[in-house]
Amino acid sequence: MANASPPGIAILGAGIFVKTQYIPRLAEISDLVNLKAIWSRSEESAKGAVEVARKHFPGVECKWGDEGLNEIIQDSSILGVAVVIAGQTQVEMSLKMLKVGKHVLQGDFMIHVFFVAAIGEIETAMTSYKNISTDSPCRPIWAVAENYRFEPAFVELKKLVEEIGDMMNVQLIIEGSMNSSNPYFSSSWRRNLDGGFILDMGVHYIAGLRMLVGCEVTSVSATTSHVDKTLPAPDNITSNFQLENGCSGVFVMVVSSRSPKAFVGLKGTVQLERGVQDGRHGYMATVYGEGGTSRTIFYPFSGVTEELKAFFNDISGASKEQEPRLSYVEGARDVAVLEAMLESGARNGAVIPVKKF
């Protein structure tokens, strides 16, 4: 049975994404959650985020430094935390919270840390979590956020893909818009990341790809290049990939382009393109059927809201089983595909098997 009052949570992190996405999205579902605290390493950052949050959550407290983090750990009314800090420290922080019994919703940056730490440390982190779960009387949930499995465009596109017959081929072409006008362009930790923006941005689309095709990627062969010197290397990747079902496909990503879009081709064609309708950003999905017929549907961005709802339903007991799309295992499988692609690119297109989890 669900709790009478919404679960209390804290946000660990106070950066751009917290202020522009997490706080507004939490405000949309304030009946499901009680935001009790925002923490950052520095007092200044924490106060900046709390100032934004208090417009929607007047009682939210400001925490910073080791003392503030310990206060969150000791607060039994805080059931879960959203870990939205720099990628290089996310897994360490998540495991720390899980060990004290807090449920964790971790940004997709977990996957970036997994890549930096290498596959062996992914397995170590997953084993640590399993041991925590075994020792704890109430299994804490480790969920992965921001992974496109909750974006309405991808959820609905999976249904559209089923309409166009047996899968023959898949093409995923991403033309990103990472330039000086993007707020994340100067992000130092992303620029210091092995794999750069290819990893930071591409992992979203790998999550969407795996959901759409309904099976795992088994091997890849890729080439990479570095063209735009204002971006970290590599900034372009082209990869062939093989699926479990025998189908093959192509993954192409350009980090900075003028017209961001993604294209998925199967038997018949489904095209997914970034767009704006009535001032709302989202995706335009166009289905081209037999006989030259086509239809286009617009889906606004709302995946972050949907995954937050799912997480709070999980930790409040409203759901009988954990939402599988939030599973930390899915995050590991996403990054394993990109890790194999980048390794192949570094080895001049050698065929690399994708690690299984």
Side-chain angles (χ1 to χ4, degrees):
M1 180 179 292
N3 294 333
S5 58
I9 68 136
I11 298 176
L12 307 185
I16 296 171
F17 202 76
V18 168
K19 289 183 281 191
T20 63
Q21 293 298 321
Y22 269 78
I23 292 171
R25 301 295 80 78
L26 287 171
E28 293 175 4
I29 55 172
S30 57
D31 58 321
L32 297 178
V33 62
N34 178 16
L35 179 58
K36 304 202 68 173
I38 296 177
W39 174 90
S40 180
R41 299 188 188 281
S42 74
E43 179 181 2
E44 182 181 2
S45 294
K47 286 184 174 179
V50 165
E51 183 180 354
V52 175
R54 280 187 175 153
K55 299 173 185 176
H56 311 286
F57 300 93
V60 64
E61 296 183 4
C62 184
K63 306 285 186 181
W64 64 89
D66 292 340
E67 182 179 350
L69 188 62
N70 189 55
E71 289 172 357
I72 289 173
I73 289 173
Q74 297 298 324
D75 190 339
S76 60
S77 70
I78 295 178
L79 300 184
V81 295
V83 178
V84 200
I85 57 179
Q88 287 82 342
T89 57
Q90 279 218 355
V91 168
E92 179 185 358
M93 179 66 79
S94 292
L95 290 174
K96 183 173 185 175
M97 293 295 108
L98 290 163
K99 286 176 181 176
V100 297
K102 305 292 187 188
H103 300 294
V104 170
L105 179 67
Q106 187 171 323
D108 73 305
F109 311 130
M110 147 191 188
I111 314 170
H112 309 332
V113 176
F114 277 171
F115 179 76
V116 173
I119 290 294
E121 293 195 28
I122 299 180
E123 295 170 332
T124 299
M126 292 170 72
T127 298
S128 296
Y129 173 57
K130 290 176 182 177
N131 291 337
I132 293 168
S133 301
T134 300
D135 296 337
S136 175
C138 181
R139 177 184 172 91
I141 294 170
W142 188 7
V144 181
E146 306 159 44
N147 60 47
Y148 275 23
R149 279 179 273 270
F150 284 83
E151 282 296 340
F154 284 83
V155 173
E156 294 302 316
L157 195 64
K158 184 173 179 60
K159 300 174 185 177
L160 298 177
V161 166
E162 293 171 355
E163 294 181 12
I164 55 177
D166 295 337
M167 189 180 300
M168 297 174 65
N169 182 260
V170 181
Q171 301 171 50
L172 183 58
I173 302 172
I174 305 110
E175 298 179 356
S177 55
M178 186 55 62
N179 53 47
S180 58
S181 64
N182 190 300
Y184 299 103
F185 179 79
S186 299
S187 171
S188 60
W189 76 259
R190 289 175 175 85
R191 287 182 165 273
N192 294 330
L193 188 69
D194 287 344
F197 288 109
I198 290 286
L199 192 61
D200 178 55
M201 299 161 62
V203 74
H204 298 295
Y205 294 99
I206 294 296
L209 170 68
R210 290 181 53 246
M211 183 179 75
L212 287 173
V213 299
C215 64
E216 298 299 335
V217 179
T218 58
S219 64
V220 301
S221 173
T223 58
T224 58
S225 63
H226 188 201
V227 178
D228 186 342
K229 303 306 180 184
T230 67
L231 296 167
D235 64 337
N236 295 273
I237 188 168
T238 300
S239 177
N240 294 318
F241 60 83
Q242 187 68 41
L243 298 174
E244 278 181 334
N245 63 7
C247 181
S248 63
V250 178
F251 175 92
V252 178
M253 183 169 181
V254 179
V255 171
S256 182
S257 174
R258 294 181 179 274
S259 56
K261 61 179 179 295
F263 177 88
V264 179
L266 305 172
K267 183 179 179 181
T269 306
V270 177
Q271 177 170 303
L272 191 64
E273 185 169 1
R274 290 280 291 269
V276 180
Q277 183 169 295
D278 300 326
R280 303 177 72 189
H281 289 262
Y283 283 100
M284 306 293 294
T286 303
V287 184
Y288 299 93
E290 296 180 348
T293 61
S294 67
R295 68 185 191 278
T296 299
I297 312 165
F298 177 75
Y299 300 100
F301 287 135
S302 63
V304 172
T305 303
E306 295 305 313
E307 65 192 7
L308 286 169
K309 286 181 184 177
F311 178 68
F312 298 131
N313 282 332
D314 283 347
I315 70 173
S316 68
S319 301
K320 293 182 179 179
E321 296 181 359
Q322 183 184 347
E323 166 58 65
R325 288 176 292 173
L326 286 174
S327 169
Y328 68 99
V329 177
E330 292 300 321
R333 289 170 177 165
D334 293 336
V335 76
V337 176
L338 269 176
E339 192 272 348
M341 288 180 178
L342 288 166
E343 181 182 348
S344 175
R347 294 171 56 183
N348 299 316
V351 176
I352 304 296
V354 175
K355 176 70 177 179
K356 293 183 179 181
F357 291 100

